[in-house]
Amino acid sequence: MNRKAVVLLSGGLDSTIALFWTRAKGYRVDALSVDYGQRHRRELASARRVARQARAHLHELSLPLPWLKTSALVDRRQRLPDIPLAKIGRGPMPSTYVPGRNTVFLALGLSLAEAVGAEVLVVGANAQDYSGYPDCRPQFLRAFEQVARRGTVKGRLKILAPLLRMNKRQIVELGIKLRAPIEETWSCYAGGRKPCGRCDSCKLRAKGFAEAGLKDLAAR
């Protein structure tokens, strides 16, 4: 494990599986999680537990950006959308979209990667079973890789998104294969004691486990 990677780790299902995929590829991992005021802050505790199990060095940042309260994911006064599963990602942009979130996170990850000498930056973005956020799309990630190469000293940093073209069933199955601690992850946008079952993230996660024929041990 002489190669180094930085993984953006929210503590959710996708980023956790991306982390264990990175470990399986033989990288030493620095993980990065960000508290940006999200209402589901309990995902950060999941990130800590997941990082410990992966033996990854976790960097935790607090980045309160007041304008992000335009998003229902940050402003608790806004109701979270309850969209039928079949319509998720097919209508207008949901109120849970956080303006520029992945752009900010990737920029922070780029900085960390260059500082620690990592050659890859890994993100758990998915553009199949998702809410349609523009900063999860393949063309966005390709463009950011060009930014990373042009804006760093060595110009060799790669952006990897191993789950990008997978559906949630495939992601769950990969997590099981990698023995990722799925039971430690948190996906619900509401951030209560138990998953709400109504937000996009809960519904897409449940879809993945149902299609895989598996029980979600984290949905307790």
Side-chain angles (χ1 to χ4, degrees):
M1 289 191 178
N2 292 323
R3 300 179 301 167
K4 294 193 73 172
V6 166
V7 177
L8 300 182
L9 179 66
S10 69
L13 180 70
D14 294 352
S15 68
T16 294
I17 293 171
L19 170 60
F20 276 77
W21 176 89
T22 306
R23 289 281 300 177
K25 293 296 181 181
Y27 289 98
R28 288 187 293 125
V29 178
D30 280 65
L32 174 64
S33 67
V34 182
D35 180 351
Y36 57 94
Q38 61 267 50
R39 65 198 294 166
H40 56 308
R41 264 196 188 92
R42 64 172 292 168
E43 70 174 0
L44 299 171
S46 292
R48 295 183 197 109
R49 291 192 294 269
V50 165
R52 282 196 297 269
Q53 292 201 33
R55 297 180 183 178
H57 180 196
L58 179 63
H59 304 258
E60 298 182 77
L61 290 180
S62 177
L63 192 66
L65 302 176
W67 56 84
L68 296 184
K69 286 195 174 182
T70 56
S71 169
L73 214 59
V74 179
D75 186 358
R76 290 180 175 272
R77 295 172 298 179
Q78 297 186 48
R79 292 185 63 181
L80 292 170
D82 186 354
I83 303 169
L85 180 61
K87 293 185 178 181
I88 293 177
R90 290 178 168 80
M93 191 60 57
S95 62
T96 50
Y97 171 64
V98 181
R101 179 177 61 178
N102 281 356
T103 304
V104 172
F105 287 1
L106 284 165
L108 293 170
L110 181 157
S111 175
L112 176 59
E114 189 170 31
V116 301
E119 59 189 74
V120 299
L121 173 57
V122 182
V123 58
N126 174 252
Q128 292 295 319
D129 288 334
Y130 80 131
S131 295
Y133 301 151
D135 53 4
C136 290
R137 295 179 298 186
Q139 54 266 46
F140 167 75
L141 295 173
R142 287 196 300 268
F144 196 90
E145 184 173 71
Q146 289 302 310
V147 170
R149 292 186 174 185
R150 292 176 182 274
T152 53
V153 173
K154 293 184 179 179
R156 298 176 183 172
L157 185 66
K158 294 181 179 179
I159 309 295
L160 302 182
L163 315 183
L164 189 62
R165 300 186 186 277
M166 293 184 180
N167 59 39
K168 274 291 190 284
R169 175 185 62 79
Q170 293 169 322
I171 291 170
V172 168
E173 290 174 344
L174 177 61
I176 297 298
K177 180 179 179 181
L178 294 172
R179 298 183 180 180
I182 292 173
E183 70 281 358
E184 297 288 0
T185 63
W186 182 263
S187 299
C188 178
Y189 288 159
R193 295 182 63 184
K194 294 182 178 180
C196 72
R198 298 184 300 275
C199 68
D200 285 13
S201 189
C202 276
K203 289 177 180 177
L204 290 171
R205 179 175 176 135
K207 173 181 180 288
F209 278 93
E211 292 179 348
L214 298 168
K215 182 179 181 181
D216 185 356
L217 295 178
R220 295 190 291 267

